[in-house]
Amino acid sequence: MSAVILLLIGLGAMALGYVLYSKFIAQKIYQLDPDFKTPAHEFEDGIDYVPTNRFVLWGHHFTSVAGAAPIVGPAIAVIWGWAPAFLWVVFGTIFFAGVHDFGAIWASVRNKAKSVGALTGDVVGKRARSIFMIVIFLVLLMVNAVFAVVIAGLMMNFPSAVVPVWGAIFVALIIGQLIYRRIMSLTVVSVLGVIALYALIGIGPMVPVQMPAEVAGLSGNAIWIVILFGYAAIASLLPVWMLLQPRDYINGLQLFIGLLILYGALVLLNPTLVAPAFNSNVPAGTPSMIPLLFVTIACGAISGFHGLVSSGTTSKQLDKETDARFVGYFGAVGEGMLALAAILAATAGFATFGDWQTMYSAFGQGGVNAFVEGGAFIIHNGIGLPEATAATLLTVMAALFAGTTMDTGLRLQRYIFQEWGDIYNQPWMKKPALATGLAVGTCLLLAFGAGGADGSGGLIIWPLFGTTNQLLAGLTLLIITVMLVRLRRPMWYTLAPLCFLLVMTILALLIQLRTFWDQGNMFLLVMDIVVLMAAVLVAMECAAALKRSRAEMAAQGD
């Protein structure tokens, strides 16, 4: 099958989803009010609460939720064939992710920009809130610890990406000043920022930076991890307009240009999908497609981490409530487009079916490598860009998005500690610097305590990320559903996806439970049980709250 046909179907379906379905959700379900005073105006402080242009905020939101996950997940999941991955990405984006991300922003904005964890206490109850915030903390811990390993690995394996990755930070700092102080128009700043980013990508291969194999007893990989957490700590304390917003915005533009280059090369080359639509000859040890497909591809279809960003940072910067549709739903569409690119690169970016089989010789293979190699093959043969330059472009793209997610993730983890300080009356935990220190400390403890001198400890609990993350998405949809019931609005548009997601997630947790038992991995076995119990308890609490709300509505109706 032609990859171009699949591209047009995917992009067309997601465009219709935004134009038609998101408009219906905005008008009939969430009922956005352009005159509602958002928390960005109500609590404006110039640090976390900052009314922001919707295009700039979209850039922050999109790149924060994207990271490397919409590349890694789909590029692994195609081992079951391109059709299941394609269908889940397209329909997941339209009916799951868009409604979830959009809804999390709306719910938070309507409740003084509280995070979904804190919001649970108001909507469901204190017991559910305590359990929910533990799940949130685990997700953030996994994301921050693992993305540090991913970025460090990319910089160790691709020294040509070091200058563009770190240079982008200085470009963002300059852009932040130009936008915030209105020195230049957003259009001019955008053009200059993109030119600067691509100039850095061109310079990168000329001045590769290779970290020494060992420094002060630590491996080069570990040194990068420490540097990354030091940077993320500083970034999480700076005002959002100074670094977080401009870095995410300019990276969002860079991604779209990168996608246009990849999509344009694909149209010109018109390659054939060498991978099968449904792979009936998967390698030994590959788990069942159902339910694992729905947790392997999270970002790019639906992801609980998106709810944390939506209610953690995005809701504090929303200028008008009506901007939530563009920022939240279209942010999910942008990520769906990235996931679609990953699927096409990982299935049409190989010369033969045999080459594809070599890449996918075992479950878990592929990922970023398949995206970079397959995408570079398409770009080189489609528009003639040197394959090494194309590989650098795609590597920098992956590293920059992982970095922006880590920036936001550490800021969100700081918010969690501050919210705990507020909930449990611990004033010292509410101080930003101390809360940031606790966030960084827990990540480094996992990274080096569990992983040793190479700092890869986050990878130990990574097998649980997919299920924990999707559990979080289901629970966020539960909160939104309860709110809709209390407001006497239709709930099926959130209830249907959350039921599907909870069933698939709990099934996946049970399958993993058996796998960890067979492997004798007691640590992950216990963690799996904890997450499974949390899923059941919070679901029961939310179901009870939903039943109470419906009963109250019925009584009031009488």
Side-chain angles (χ1 to χ4, degrees):
M1 179 177 177
S2 167
V4 174
I5 294 176
L6 202 64
L7 172 66
L8 295 176
I9 293 172
L11 293 181
M14 285 187 271
L16 285 174
Y18 177 72
V19 172
L20 301 177
Y21 192 60
S22 75
K23 185 177 181 180
F24 167 76
I25 295 294
Q27 294 179 346
K28 303 298 183 182
I29 309 303
Y30 298 146
Q31 298 180 18
L32 304 184
D33 180 2
D35 298 320
F36 180 79
K37 188 175 183 179
T38 64
H41 290 282
E42 186 177 357
F43 307 114
E44 185 173 359
D45 61 4
I47 299 175
D48 294 319
Y49 294 86
V50 180
T52 303
N53 177 287
R54 67 175 185 153
F55 294 102
V56 176
L57 184 57
W58 175 86
H60 154 70
H61 177 81
F62 167 51
T63 53
S64 293
V65 300
I71 295 172
V72 176
I76 289 175
V78 293
I79 197 168
W80 291 300
W82 60 259
F86 173 78
L87 292 172
W88 174 228
V89 163
V90 172
F91 287 104
T93 294
I94 297 170
F95 298 108
F96 287 70
V99 175
H100 169 274
D101 298 12
F102 182 4
I105 296 174
W106 165 76
S108 179
V109 164
R110 284 284 169 167
N111 289 274
K112 301 185 182 300
K114 289 183 179 179
S115 71
V116 287
L119 190 56
T120 307
D122 297 337
V123 177
V124 181
K126 293 181 179 179
R127 183 166 50 191
R129 178 188 62 192
S130 299
I131 300 169
F132 203 173
M133 290 188 75
I134 291 172
V135 175
I136 292 171
F137 181 77
L138 284 174
V139 169
L140 290 173
L141 187 64
M142 292 178 194
V143 167
N144 292 332
V146 171
F147 275 27
V149 176
V150 170
I151 301 168
L154 286 172
M155 288 192 290
M156 287 294 291
N157 295 327
F158 299 93
S160 61
V162 173
V163 168
V165 167
W166 290 101
I169 295 169
F170 295 100
V171 172
L173 287 168
I174 295 170
I175 287 174
Q177 296 293 327
L178 294 176
I179 293 176
Y180 187 72
R181 302 186 188 284
R182 295 180 172 85
I183 297 172
M184 293 181 182
S185 69
L186 183 61
T187 302
V188 173
V189 170
S190 301
V191 172
L192 292 176
V194 169
I195 291 173
L197 278 184
Y198 279 94
L200 287 169
I201 291 173
I203 294 170
M206 303 177 193
V207 284
V209 178
Q210 182 68 62
M211 182 69 73
E214 184 175 322
V215 179
L218 293 175
S219 67
N221 197 74
I223 293 295
W224 276 128
I225 290 173
V226 172
I227 293 172
L228 284 164
F229 275 115
Y231 155 74
I234 296 170
S236 73
L237 290 169
L238 291 175
V240 289
W241 63 266
M242 188 176 290
L243 178 58
L244 191 68
Q245 280 182 359
R247 175 166 155 81
D248 291 352
Y249 172 66
I250 203 67
N251 283 346
L253 292 178
Q254 185 255 4
L255 168 67
F256 258 78
I257 293 172
L259 281 177
L260 286 174
I261 292 172
L262 181 56
Y263 285 156
L266 190 131
V267 170
L268 292 172
L269 182 61
N270 192 18
T272 300
L273 299 169
V274 298
F278 295 92
N279 190 7
S280 58
N281 188 28
V282 295
T286 301
S288 168
M289 182 180 73
I290 298 177
L292 269 297
L293 170 70
F294 305 103
V295 298
T296 302
I297 300 179
C299 296
I302 182 171
S303 164
F305 181 72
H306 295 194
L308 300 184
V309 175
S310 297
S311 64
T313 58
T314 304
S315 63
K316 294 177 175 62
Q317 302 169 59
L318 200 72
D319 184 31
K320 297 179 181 178
E321 189 178 58
T322 47
D323 291 346
R325 176 191 172 206
F326 178 78
V327 174
Y329 197 101
F330 192 61
V333 169
E335 190 169 72
M337 292 170 62
L338 179 57
L340 178 60
I343 292 171
L344 294 173
T347 55
F350 296 88
T352 66
F353 175 58
D355 293 336
W356 183 84
Q357 279 187 311
T358 300
M359 174 63 74
Y360 288 90
S361 58
F363 182 71
Q365 298 296 312
V368 173
N369 287 337
F371 172 73
V372 171
E373 291 182 24
F377 175 87
I378 291 170
I379 292 172
H380 172 65
N381 290 283
I383 61 177
L385 196 68
E387 201 155 354
T389 304
T392 299
L393 171 68
L394 296 174
T395 301
V396 170
M397 184 188 296
L400 286 176
F401 285 110
T404 54
T405 300
M406 189 178 168
D407 288 0
T408 303
L410 200 65
R411 185 178 287 260
L412 291 171
Q413 208 167 356
R414 186 248 288 180
Y415 290 160
I416 291 294
F417 279 110
Q418 289 179 299
E419 286 180 350
W420 274 335
D422 189 49
I423 292 168
Y424 299 110
N425 194 26
Q426 298 294 322
W428 64 274
M429 288 181 69
K430 292 191 284 184
K431 295 179 179 179
L434 289 175
T436 298
L438 289 171
V440 172
T442 51
C443 290
L444 290 176
L445 184 63
L446 173 62
F448 290 96
D454 66 351
S456 62
L459 297 176
I460 292 175
I461 61 173
W462 186 249
L464 280 173
F465 172 75
T467 45
T468 307
N469 187 44
Q470 296 304 69
L471 164 64
L472 183 57
L475 298 180
T476 300
L477 285 170
L478 269 173
I479 303 303
I480 298 169
T481 302
V482 173
M483 287 182 61
L484 291 174
V485 169
R486 290 182 176 178
L487 293 168
R488 296 178 180 272
R489 296 178 191 172
M491 65 176 181
W492 300 108
Y493 302 95
T494 55
L495 184 62
L498 85 83
C499 289
F500 176 85
L501 205 58
L502 283 180
V503 168
M504 290 300 161
T505 302
I506 290 174
L507 284 174
L509 281 166
L510 291 172
I511 289 172
Q512 285 185 320
L513 201 65
R514 175 62 184 271
T515 301
F516 298 147
W517 174 264
D518 291 342
Q519 293 173 347
N521 192 330
M522 298 308 295
F523 176 72
L524 287 181
L525 182 72
V526 172
M527 289 285 291
D528 193 303
I529 292 172
V530 169
V531 173
L532 186 60
M533 289 176 62
V536 173
L537 288 173
V538 176
M540 289 174 62
E541 290 282 341
C542 288
L546 191 60
K547 186 176 180 181
R548 287 195 304 270
S549 297
R550 298 194 70 179
E552 290 169 4
M553 296 300 104
Q556 291 174 8
D558 295 337

